[in-house]
Structures are given as C-alpha cells and as structure tokens.
Amino acid sequence: METGFLSRDLSIVILAVGAATFVCTRLKQPLLLGFIVAGILIDPVFKMINDHSVIIELGELGILFMMFFVGMEFNLAKLRKVLTPSLCAIILQTATMCSVGMAGAKMMGMPAIVGLFLGGMLSISSTIVFIETVSARGDLNKKYAHLATGILILEDLLAILMLVFLSGVAISKAVQWDKIWHVCFMLITFVVAIYASGKVFLQPLLRKMSISGSNYTVMIFTLAMIFGLGELAAELEFSVALGAFLAGSVLAGTAIANQIEKIITPFKNLFVALFFVSVGMMITPSEIFRLIPTILAFSALVIAGQSVSCFIGATAAGVEPAVAWFAGINKARIGEFSFVIAALGMKLGVIDSSIASIAMGVAFVTIFANPFIASRASAIAETFSKITPRFLKSALEAYGNLLQIARKNLD
C-alpha cells in the first residue's frame, strides 16, 4: 500500500511539474516560481498528496545536485580570488539582517532569542535559486556571478556555524564559544583534506576513466562521489550540501568533467523541480495571508538589506561598484536554509509556527520578486547615483584610487 501511495504521489508531482513547465514557458516566467505554485496547489490547497514527507525528502536531493554543480562551475581555486570581498560582504550582511531580526522580534513583543533565530533566517540567501536563475540567463561566468557565488558558498559554511550557535544559545542560554571554534577547525580541516586528497589521488583514476569509461561507469562513479561525500559530511555533523559541493569541486576541470555534466544534468533538473514543489507544499496559504503585512515588510528589508550590505562590504574590499551591486541585488532573497533554522527553533521550543510561516512567506515573496527587481538593477543604481551627494561620490572615487595604488604596490 505504501508503494502505491508513493507511486501515486510521485506521479501527481511530476504531472504538476510538467504543467508548471508548460505554463511558465508560455508566459516566459521563471520555472522555479511555477514549481512552488504547483506545490501549493497540489497539497495545501487541494490536498492531493498522501505522504508529503517522502516528496520533501526526495526534493532535498535537489540541493545536493545543485551544490554539486556549483562545485563543478565554481571550484575552490576561483573562491580564493573573491575570498576577501566575499568575507567582507557576508560579515556586513549577517550583522545587518540579524539586527533586522532582533528589531523585528522586539516590535512584535517577542524575546531576544526569537530575534536571533529570525535574524538567522533572514541572513542566508538561497544558493539553489541563485544558481538556477543566473544559469537560465547564461550569466554564470560573469564577474558578479563569481562574487555572488563566493558569498553564497561562505554562507553555506556560515550556516553550519549558525546552527551550532543558535542551538547552544537556545539550550544553555549562553554562547558556547568552545564548540564554535571546534566546529570552525573541523570544518576547515574537512574541506582542505577532501579537496587535496581528491585532486591528488583521483587524478590517475579519472584519466583512465576518460579513455575507457562508459557513460554508465561515469554516472555511477559521480553519484557515489556526491552521496558518499554528502554522507561523510553528515556523519561529521556538517551539511550534506557541503559534501556535494566538495564532490563537484574535486571533479571540476578533470578529464571527464564535460561528460559528467551531460550525464548528471537530467538528475539535477528532476530533483531541483521536486525541491521547489516540496517548498510550495510546506506553505500554508491561510497562515501566510494572515501575516501578509509582516511578510511584505520583512521581504522589503531582506531585499534592501542584503543588496546594500553586500554592495558596501564588497566595494570596501576593492570590488568594482557595478560588480558589487549586481552581486548583492541578484542574491537578495532567502531560501532553504531559513526552513532548517525554523525547524530547529520549533524543535527546541524557541519559536512558534507564526515565525516559521513568516520565513516561508518571506522566502516565497523574495524568490518571486527578486528576478524582477534584479532586472532593473541598472536603473536602481542610476537613481541612487543621482541622489548621492557629490562629496560622497568624490570620497568613494578617492578610496577606489587608493586601493588601485595599493594593489600595484603589492604586485
């Protein structure tokens, strides 16, 4: 009977994905939005799914495949080039959005710890949505996409530390710095060990596979890398997405990289679609409508706060203002990690369902609104340029000249 339920549920979801693809293609709208709407319709609205937990678990595979492709397109060698501006951007963004969360909780009459959880939900952008959106535009190799991807990768690492921090604060009512430093050390060790050993020991095997390996062999090997490193990361209490990213980073630029991309892309497309449908299935429309003013207010703060803080942080680190602005505004949304923090907070009894609904609503609104706002990034920048005082423009120009002189001296 359970197998029948799964077959029926999966059939309904795939039919919904097909219908959403057709409609969005005809209307020239982002597919991911269609998938989310399809998820809302088939479960919360019409209640067509018997066991939505299975679909949600299958959808989580979309995160693994997307992070694998992030690793393939943006390996650690590229990350080093944008490490400093990415760090500056993420530090300022996290501080800004946590402040927004704390202030929001205070205005709603909630304790400070709720504000910390809410700030965490608003701090981390959606890697999977950004990569899918930018890839559809063909912009994945542009400068702003490299910078934004660097920030997103660091965000995924920050997410692990944030879970440790929030768990410690919720349980012991204090910041457990010893655990945070331990996690930092283990995280760096894990990343360096996997990347270095993969590049050293896998190269001979990959060269042989490029000569004689069939598509089937390459497929099995790649899936084993994705799930194997994902499970290893999970066993060490890291994110499975981190393991998948490292698998992609290890295989990036190898002799079979192009073959892998052609073989694995269909898996990615299917499970990414399931992921966005599962996100829609977790949204409760009645709760969202009740909180719509709060959701819209936080959504505006997320888009403005993430865009401006990333712009300021990256520009301060010497990135061209145009590149920093496009990077910030194109990643200004929240996504899947907000749901993880919400689930943790509810499990620990820190937050209630209304805060989780706010996170869901803000994720939906920002995912929906961001492509339209990002498409007008140049016009928004031009408007801000017109209203920026002349002395501030002169100061920014002088700062940029100083950075160029400093780089030349270092070179």
Side-chain angles (χ1 to χ4, degrees):
M1 182 62 71
E2 291 180 358
T3 303
F5 279 164
L6 174 59
S7 175
R8 176 186 174 278
D9 289 349
L10 198 54
S11 298
I12 291 172
V13 170
I14 292 176
L15 285 171
V17 166
T21 302
F22 175 77
V23 172
C24 290
T25 302
R26 294 293 297 270
L27 297 178
K28 297 182 179 179
Q29 296 298 315
L31 289 178
L32 59 93
L33 296 177
F35 297 151
I36 292 174
V37 172
I40 295 173
L41 292 175
I42 64 175
D43 193 45
V45 175
F46 295 113
K47 301 187 183 302
M48 300 169 68
I49 303 298
N50 291 308
D51 187 0
H52 64 327
S53 63
V54 175
I55 303 301
I56 291 171
E57 288 180 9
L58 287 174
E60 289 176 356
L61 295 177
I63 299 176
L64 265 70
F65 282 103
M66 184 55 69
M67 288 304 296
F68 173 76
F69 272 83
V70 171
M72 290 280 289
E73 294 288 344
F74 194 93
N75 56 43
L76 293 180
K78 290 182 180 178
L79 177 59
R80 286 198 298 268
K81 296 179 182 178
V82 295
L83 183 59
T84 300
S86 296
L87 276 173
C88 292
I90 195 174
I91 289 170
L92 187 57
Q93 174 186 288
T94 304
T96 300
M97 300 320 300
C98 283
S99 298
V100 168
M102 295 287 287
K106 186 176 181 180
M107 291 179 66
M108 292 185 290
M110 297 180 177
I113 191 168
V114 174
L116 284 175
F117 273 81
L118 182 57
M121 294 177 205
L122 303 178
S123 296
I124 308 297
S125 304
S126 175
T127 302
I128 192 170
V129 176
F130 173 81
I131 297 299
E132 191 70 9
T133 304
V134 173
S135 297
R137 290 195 216 129
D139 286 358
L140 203 54
N141 286 316
K142 291 189 175 180
K143 287 183 179 180
Y144 84 85
H146 285 175
L147 174 60
T149 307
I151 297 170
L152 289 164
I153 290 170
L154 292 182
E155 281 184 1
D156 288 328
L157 302 181
L158 173 66
I160 299 167
L161 299 179
M162 195 173 285
L163 286 176
V164 175
F165 172 81
L166 292 173
S167 297
V169 171
I171 295 171
S172 64
K173 310 302 179 185
V175 179
Q176 299 178 322
W177 289 109
D178 55 335
K179 287 189 176 181
I180 292 175
W181 290 120
H182 174 72
V183 170
C184 284
F185 173 76
M186 293 298 295
L187 186 61
I188 294 170
T189 303
F190 176 69
V191 171
V192 172
I194 295 297
Y195 186 75
S197 59
K199 288 296 184 183
V200 171
F201 297 112
L202 281 179
Q203 292 302 320
L205 173 63
L206 295 176
R207 280 194 292 270
K208 290 181 181 178
M209 198 175 293
S210 67
I211 297 172
S212 58
S214 64
N215 284 347
Y216 179 79
T217 303
V218 172
M219 179 187 71
I220 296 299
F221 173 79
T222 305
L223 292 175
M225 285 283 291
I226 295 171
F227 289 101
L229 288 181
E231 184 60 28
L232 178 60
E235 287 294 321
L236 295 173
E237 298 184 351
F238 299 138
S239 166
V240 290
L242 174 62
F245 166 77
L246 288 174
S249 185
V250 166
L251 295 173
T254 61
I256 60 171
N258 291 333
Q259 189 178 3
I260 288 173
E261 188 170 352
K262 291 178 182 177
I263 294 170
I264 301 299
T265 294
F267 289 93
K268 181 206 69 168
N269 292 341
L270 172 62
F271 287 109
V272 165
L274 289 178
F275 170 78
F276 286 114
V277 171
S278 69
V279 169
M281 290 167 57
M282 290 187 284
I283 295 174
T284 305
S286 59
E287 186 80 357
I288 298 295
F289 286 129
R290 184 178 68 83
L291 295 166
I292 196 67
T294 304
I295 289 169
L296 291 176
F298 276 118
S299 298
L301 290 170
V302 165
I303 292 173
Q306 288 196 12
S307 299
V308 174
S309 58
C310 284
F311 167 74
I312 294 173
T315 303
V319 175
E320 298 172 34
V323 173
W325 174 245
F326 274 93
I329 200 168
N330 275 279
K331 65 170 288 298
R333 60 173 73 84
I334 66 170
E336 58 277 2
F337 185 69
S338 301
F339 312 146
V340 176
I341 292 183
L344 174 67
M346 293 181 71
K347 180 180 178 181
L348 296 174
V350 174
I351 65 174
D352 57 26
S353 61
S354 65
I355 299 296
S357 294
I358 289 172
M360 291 284 186
V362 173
F364 180 76
V365 171
T366 54
I367 288 172
F368 181 83
N370 183 270
F372 300 100
I373 296 172
S375 67
R376 292 160 178 78
S378 297
I380 296 171
E382 188 176 339
T383 300
F384 275 109
S385 178
K386 289 178 181 178
I387 64 175
T388 301
R390 186 174 297 177
F391 77 89
L392 184 56
K393 289 182 181 179
S394 299
L396 289 172
E397 187 176 346
Y399 179 73
N401 292 334
L402 284 174
L403 287 176
Q404 287 184 356
I405 293 170
R407 285 199 196 94
K408 288 180 181 178
N409 290 334
L410 288 173
D411 293 340

